[in-house]
Amino acid sequence: MLSAAETDALTLSLSIAARSVLFNLPFAIAVAWLLTRTRFAGRTVFDAFVHLPLVLPPVVVGYLLLVLFGIRGPIGGWLYGHFGIQLAFTSTGAALATAVMSFPLVVRSIRISLEALDGGLEDAARTLGAAPLDRFVSITLPLITPGILAGVVTAFAAGLGEFGAVITFASNIPGETRTLPLALYTALQTPDGDSLAARLALISFSLGLAGLLVAESLSRALRARLGR
C-alpha cells in the first residue's frame, strides 16, 4: 500500500510526463518531417540544436529555461505580464522542462519511421492528385504511427525519471513539482528516509522498465509492418 507521499509523487510524475508528451508531440512530428523531407541552409545546425538536450547537462537546460521562461525572462515575463501565466516553479513548468528533455527522443523515433517509409506510396498519391496535407494524413501518418507511439512511450518513460531540468526550473515543491525522482532525492536527505527512498526507487525502476518494454514491442511492430 502506497503512502500519501508516494501516491502524490507517483500521480504528479504520471501527470507531468503525460503533459510533456502532449506538449512536444505536434512539434516533434513537424520537426521530424522537416529534417527528413526537406533540404535547407543550416539544416545540420538545426538538427544539432534539436538534439542538444541529449548532450547538455539537464541542469543547464533547466537554467536556460529559467532565463527564458522565468518571470523576468523575455518569454516568461511577457506571458506573465499579458496573460498572468507563470511557468517557473509550477507543475506546468515541470512539464515544459520534461518536454524539452524528451523532445529529441520523439523526433528521432518519428524520423526513423519516416526514413524507412517507402516514398513510392507518397509519389503514387501525388500523381493521383492528392494534396500534400491529404498525402500526409491518409498515407504518411498511418504508416509512421508505430514509430510515433514508440517515441511517445519512450519519452513518457524518460519523463518519469527527469530530475535536473525539473528541479532547476520548477524547484522541489511538495504537491506541485515534487515528482518521483525529486521525492526520492528528498527522502535521501531526510533522517530515517531510507525505506521511503527504497520504495520510490522500486516504483521508478518498475515504471521505467515497463516503458522500455512497451517501446520495444512497438518498435518490433513497426519493423514487422514495414517487412523488416
Side-chain angles (χ1 to χ4, degrees), residues 112-137:
I112 291 173
S113 296
L114 284 169
E115 290 173 345
L117 185 64
D118 184 3
L121 298 174
E122 295 173 313
D123 293 337
R126 185 186 299 110
T127 59
L128 293 174
L133 182 59
D134 292 333
R135 294 196 302 270
F136 180 80
V137 172

Side-chain angles (χ1 to χ4, degrees), residues 8-196:
D8 287 345
L10 175 59
T11 302
L12 190 59
S13 292
L14 293 172
S15 173
I16 287 176
R19 290 157 66 188
S20 73
V21 172
L22 292 177
F23 280 170
N24 67 30
L25 183 57
F27 300 103
I29 294 174
V31 168
W33 186 88
L34 189 67
L35 291 173
T36 306
R37 293 290 190 265
T38 64
R39 296 292 182 270
F40 54 90
R43 178 176 175 273
T44 302
V45 175
F46 178 68
D47 191 5
F49 182 79
V50 168
H51 291 85
L52 205 54
L54 292 178
V55 296
L56 282 178
V59 174
V60 173
V61 175
Y63 170 73
L64 293 175
L65 289 174
L66 192 60
V67 170
L68 292 174
F69 292 95
I71 292 180
R72 297 181 180 178
I75 301 176
W78 181 81
L79 289 173
Y80 187 74
H82 288 78
F83 304 102
I85 298 175
Q86 179 180 341
L87 294 177
F89 312 117
T90 66
S91 61
T92 302
L96 174 61
T98 303
V100 171
M101 291 302 299
S102 61
F103 183 74
L105 300 175
V106 188
V107 171
R108 187 168 184 82
S109 179
I110 298 173
R111 186 176 177 181
I112 291 173
S113 296
L114 284 169
E115 290 173 345
L117 185 64
D118 184 3
L121 298 174
E122 295 173 313
D123 293 337
R126 185 186 299 110
T127 59
L128 293 174
L133 182 59
D134 292 333
R135 294 196 302 270
F136 180 80
V137 172
S138 62
I139 296 176
T140 307
L141 190 59
L143 291 175
I144 66 171
T145 295
I148 294 175
L149 293 176
V152 164
V153 173
T154 303
F156 181 82
L160 292 174
E162 181 52 45
F163 177 82
V166 172
I167 198 172
T168 305
F169 181 56
S171 190
N172 184 10
I173 305 172
E176 181 69 26
T177 64
R178 183 171 290 176
T179 57
L180 280 171
L182 274 65
L184 174 58
Y185 173 79
T186 302
L188 291 173
Q189 306 302 312
T190 304
D192 301 323
D194 291 346
S195 59
L196 176 59

